[in-house]
Amino acid sequence: MGVLERTDHRQTDFSKGANADWTIPQGFECYSEAEHRTWTMLYERQADILPGRACDAFLHGLDALDLHGHGIPDFRQLNEKLLALTGWRIVAVPGLVPDAVFFEHLANRRFPAGNFIRGANELDYLEEPDVFHDVFGHVPMLTDPVFADYMQAYGKGGLRALSLGSLANLARLYWYTVEFGLLETSQGLRIYGAGIVSSRTESIFALTSDSPNRLGFDLERVMRTLYRIDDFQQVYFVIPSLQYLLDVTTGTDFGPLYAKLSRMPGIPIAAIEPSDRIVTRGTQDYARSGGRMRQGAAVP
Ligand code: PHE
Ligand code: FE
């Protein structure tokens, strides 16, 4: 799913055939009928609710890649289309990969995607990113030239952050943009984050629940904000455009910023700061009641 999970350095068994860059063959021929059906089920649930909720770049990407509801896509075919559009390609990995490997791939316009798919009994939540999250969630945005550049710049920034020991700050940026970002449009808020767009329940929650805070994106603010990986987010950050996100991140030297942030405390997830631009102030009722997403309860 993202950087945070990738910072825990869960190791994969190289004897399973991973290369030094952790890539493996997708093994397209090895998926069972049941696994293809799981993709199709997930796809149909999302295709149904995303128009009017996901941003145009995402929806155009789904179309352009011809990502369909007929089973898990073959990366070889997907890559022909993706390469032609923005020069990105998908590489298969067995699951989480070490940070440096992940960043190195991004910096070279390669997106590492888990090749396995979740079980039919865990459609709604998973802690390790599978092929549905990685391909359906992330890859459509990579067809957008601006977002494609942002992801590459992020990979380069990741390698730099690693060498500066500032990964925690940079990981928050990934979390609140690539995974859980919202975009302001003339038609209202839209989703571009992969963690939202690949989850039926959070696609609804993130846009319509009264519970979470929705705040204007501010680079420093985001890089200071803690996050949770176990349930719906308690705060979403709203960008004015993808171009703004690219410009503000590539136009800022993170070196001095990391130094400054290292002297400042992290901001708790539900906090509202005096300088925040509040898009919607949340009740936090969902989080306060203990969160029930994992039990599959209806979205509030
Ligand atoms: N500008 C950042 C740096 O100086 C790199 C970066 C770009 C990070 C885009 C994230 C996204 O390190
Ligand atoms: Fe992800």
Side-chain angles (χ1 to χ4, degrees):
M1 182 177 273
V3 170
L4 181 113
E5 296 99 315
R6 287 184 162 103
T7 59
D8 65 10
H9 301 284
R10 263 188 273 174
Q11 296 297 309
T12 295
D13 186 356
F14 270 110
S15 65
K16 284 185 193 153
N19 298 314
D21 65 359
W22 289 67
T23 60
I24 54 172
Q26 182 191 7
F28 181 75
E29 295 73 18
C30 301
Y31 294 120
S32 68
E33 273 312 304
E35 288 175 318
H36 282 301
R37 275 199 304 274
T38 298
W39 170 284
T40 303
M41 199 147 55
L42 290 164
Y43 176 91
E44 282 172 358
R45 295 194 323 175
Q46 291 314 91
D48 206 35
I49 63 166
L50 289 181
R53 289 197 173 92
C55 70
D56 286 346
F58 180 89
L59 296 170
H60 288 152
L62 270 188
D63 263 4
L65 294 172
D66 200 17
L67 268 176
H68 48 66
H70 309 299
I72 301 167
D74 185 332
F75 290 2
R76 290 165 293 200
Q77 286 165 15
L78 213 46
N79 277 339
E80 279 180 30
K81 299 194 183 90
L82 187 56
L83 265 167
L85 286 165
T86 53
W88 274 79
R89 80 184 72 215
I90 307 166
V91 291
V93 292
L96 302 169
V97 302
D99 301 319
V101 174
F102 180 63
F103 295 139
E104 186 69 35
H105 281 304
L106 295 187
N108 291 285
R109 288 174 107 84
R110 294 186 300 262
F111 191 78
N115 71 335
F116 66 95
I117 190 150
R118 68 196 73 181
N121 59 334
E122 44 174 5
L123 287 190
D124 287 307
Y125 195 80
L126 64 162
E127 282 181 15
E128 191 157 23
D130 71 344
V131 65
F132 187 76
H133 169 79
D134 281 337
V135 173
F136 182 92
H138 285 282
V139 174
M141 289 303 292
L142 294 174
T143 65
D144 180 90
V146 172
F147 197 80
D149 285 353
Y150 172 67
M151 287 291 276
Q152 178 176 27
Y154 186 93
K156 291 182 185 165
L159 293 169
R160 183 176 184 215
L162 267 182
S163 72
L164 296 174
S166 300
L167 197 53
N169 291 121
L170 190 72
R172 292 173 192 151
L173 177 63
Y174 191 93
W175 193 259
Y176 285 118
T177 60
V178 179
E179 295 292 356
F180 292 98
L182 295 181
L183 171 69
E184 200 148 35
T185 78
S186 53
Q187 278 115 56
L189 292 183
R190 293 290 184 271
I191 308 162
Y192 71 94
I196 307 177
V197 109
S198 59
S199 157
R200 180 178 56 170
T201 47
E202 194 151 0
S203 294
I204 298 166
F205 178 90
L207 290 179
T208 55
S209 170
D210 290 338
S211 190
N213 295 327
R214 298 180 187 84
L215 306 175
F217 178 93
D218 175 87
L219 183 60
E220 236 180 83
R221 192 336 173 163
V222 166
M223 289 172 80
R224 290 180 59 201
T225 308
L226 308 180
Y227 59 89
R228 61 186 305 163
I229 65 166
D230 61 329
D231 207 326
F232 295 148
Q233 300 305 302
Q234 290 178 248
V235 58
Y236 298 93
F237 289 95
V238 180
I239 56 169
S241 66
L242 297 173
Q243 189 67 51
Y244 173 84
L245 179 63
L246 176 66
D247 290 347
V248 75
T249 51
T250 56
T252 304
D253 180 355
F254 283 21
L257 192 51
Y258 292 141
K260 178 179 167 192
L261 296 180
S262 72
R263 297 186 298 269
M264 297 169 86
I267 300 176
I269 32 183
I272 294 195
E273 301 276 290
S275 57
D276 286 337
R277 184 174 72 81
I278 300 172
V279 179
T280 58
R281 182 189 292 270
T283 60
Q284 299 298 333
D285 283 350
Y286 172 81
R288 213 175 298 113
S289 70
R292 291 147 301 163
M293 182 198 48
R294 303 184 86 163
Q295 281 74 52
V299 174

